[in-house]
Amino acid sequence: MADLPGSLQACLSMGKVAFLAILVSGGIVLQILACALYNNWWPMLSVIMYVLLPMPLLFFAGSDSSSLYTDSSDSWINATKFLTGASTIGSIAIPIILKHAGIIGWGAMAMDLSSFVVFVIAILCFMGMSEDDGYTMF
């Protein structure tokens, strides 16, 4: 992309940001629809896990996110990996437990889990963009 004019590069980078915004907005809409369509707001418990999910990364990993991909002997990085994994499993488990208990229906569970998938795709796209174009977490 180095041989493209500056205005075209800026347009492409804004398109990537717009794509991320559309993904996150789609995830939020799916989460709200999982509650509103079935007149049951219990699936909003997943939002608590979505808020807690990045906290270990922000507090323990800091701006050195490359250490999350390697085998590290640093106990803070290991704690970050563990807490992030536990939050991820909680995000998947909450709608499944609610369905098992009979609190929500199949449709609400499917929309809640699809919202999680959309959020994961948005996070992966953000991580890919941050490595390519100089976007950073902070």
Side-chain angles (χ1 to χ4, degrees):
M1 295 221 345
D3 55 347
L4 294 175
S7 61
L8 187 58
Q9 287 180 356
C11 182
L12 288 175
S13 68
M14 285 299 117
K16 291 177 182 178
V17 171
F19 176 68
L20 279 178
I22 290 170
L23 277 176
V24 171
S25 299
I28 292 170
V29 166
L30 280 172
Q31 185 70 40
I32 292 172
L33 283 176
C35 299
L37 286 179
Y38 300 99
N39 200 19
N40 187 350
W41 291 91
W42 279 102
M44 275 296 183
L45 283 175
S46 298
V47 174
I48 295 170
M49 296 308 291
Y50 296 155
V51 171
L52 293 177
L53 187 63
M55 294 303 164
L57 293 170
L58 293 174
F59 294 141
F60 299 131
S63 61
D64 187 22
S65 62
S66 64
S67 62
L68 296 175
Y69 302 124
T70 60
D71 189 23
S72 175
S73 63
D74 185 14
S75 62
W76 290 110
I77 298 299
N78 290 334
T80 301
K81 290 177 185 178
F82 174 76
L83 291 173
T84 304
S87 298
T88 303
I89 297 301
S91 299
I92 296 169
I94 287 174
I96 294 171
I97 291 169
L98 289 174
K99 170 60 186 118
H100 182 72
I103 297 173
I104 64 173
W106 284 104
M109 184 188 77
M111 291 184 89
D112 200 358
L113 291 176
S114 62
S115 169
F116 175 75
V117 169
V118 170
F119 281 131
V120 167
I121 291 171
I123 290 169
L124 293 176
C125 289
F126 173 76
M127 290 172 67
M129 278 196 290
S130 67
E131 292 173 1
D132 292 342
D133 293 333
Y135 288 108
T136 59
M137 209 166 174
F138 299 107

